[in-house]
């Protein structure tokens, strides 16, 4: 463990703060995972954002930033969203968290995070092109997921999980 644990006698409030920080770090750490995972979760996040923006437009509300699929070029919206997410939210927290945990965590977390940031900066449009069409609700990648049809599997089928009532449900996990 890093210096944060040396001779530490934590009070309950300190333990709660550390647990809260660990949970928040885990919640936003997808860009610090291997790129195949990081980009898959970025795609899911953008699908969710665009569904929210679609709903806001249906309700005649202003569409929130980064949630408007009608912005042209759409790839720039997605790339800017991911770069901003990393620079403004993820890197500041994970830098401090990794320093607290020690050199191994700094290496494991921050090296991958920087690689993901470089991917978005240098090849973000290519990543987005590989996702398919986000420009319309019906044409966007993941439309069946948005409709509750499960997530597409590698074999072209749908994966889902059974709910307690026996129905099928998709996982609604966020980046």
């Amino acid at each position: 463990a890093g210096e944060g644990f040396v001779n530490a006698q934590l009070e309950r409030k300190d333990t709660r703060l550390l647990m809260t920080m660990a949970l928040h770090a885990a919640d936003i750490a997808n860009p610090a995972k291997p790129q195949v995972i990081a980009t898959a979760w970025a795609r899911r996040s953008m699908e969710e954002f665009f569904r929210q923006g679609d709903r806001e437009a249906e309700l005649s509300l202003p569409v929130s930033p980064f949630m408007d699929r009608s912005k042209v070029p759409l790839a720039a919206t997605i790339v800017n969203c991911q770069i901003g997410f990393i620079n403004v939210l993820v890197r500041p927290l994970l830098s401090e968290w990794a320093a607290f945990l020690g050199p191994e965590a700094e290496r494991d977390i921050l090296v991958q995070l920087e690689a993901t940031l470089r991917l978005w900066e240098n090849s973000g449009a290519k990543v987005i092109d590989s996702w398919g069409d986000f420009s319309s609700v019906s044409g966007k990648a993941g439309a069946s997921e948005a409709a509750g049809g499960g997530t597409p599997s590698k074999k072209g089928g749908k994966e889902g999980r059974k709910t307690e009532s026996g129905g099928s449900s998709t996982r609604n996990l966020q980046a």
Side-chain angles (χ1 to χ4, degrees):
E3 293 180 27
F5 291 113
V6 176
N7 298 322
Q9 291 185 343
L10 300 176
E11 294 180 25
R12 184 173 175 85
K13 66 179 179 147
D14 297 327
T15 302
R16 185 177 174 107
L17 174 64
L18 284 173
M19 291 172 64
T20 300
M21 290 177 63
L23 182 61
H24 184 57
D27 183 43
I28 67 170
N30 290 316
K33 295 179 180 161
Q35 288 178 356
V36 67
I37 295 170
T39 57
W41 280 108
R43 175 183 174 174
R44 290 178 180 118
S45 296
M46 294 312 302
E47 288 172 351
E48 181 179 339
F49 284 7
F50 292 143
R51 285 192 305 270
Q52 178 177 327
D54 296 342
R55 185 69 179 135
E56 290 170 345
E58 287 172 16
L59 296 171
S60 299
L61 297 170
V63 177
S64 299
F66 301 114
M67 298 186 186
D68 188 350
R69 75 174 74 244
S70 68
K71 291 268 185 181
V72 177
L74 188 57
T77 297
I78 296 171
V79 169
N80 289 334
C81 181
Q82 295 306 308
I83 291 172
F85 177 59
I86 292 170
N87 285 332
V88 174
L89 297 173
V90 179
R91 186 191 296 152
L93 176 65
L94 292 187
S95 294
E96 292 300 320
W97 186 244
F100 176 77
L101 294 175
E104 294 86 7
E106 285 184 290
R107 181 194 63 240
D108 294 343
I109 294 169
L110 299 180
V111 168
Q112 185 60 55
L113 181 63
E114 292 303 318
T116 301
L117 179 59
R118 284 190 306 277
L119 173 72
W120 286 115
E121 291 171 339
N122 299 325
S123 303
K126 288 180 184 177
V127 171
I128 295 159
D129 285 345
S130 74
W131 293 351
D133 185 16
F134 275 91
S135 62
S136 67
V137 177
S138 61
K140 79 173 185 56
S144 68
E145 182 180 348
T151 33
S153 72
K154 289 181 182 175
K155 295 178 183 175
K158 293 179 183 174
E159 298 172 353
R161 61 180 169 83
K162 294 290 181 183
T163 62
E164 290 181 24
S165 64
S168 180
S169 171
T170 59
R171 293 183 187 183
N172 186 12
L173 304 174
Q174 297 180 19

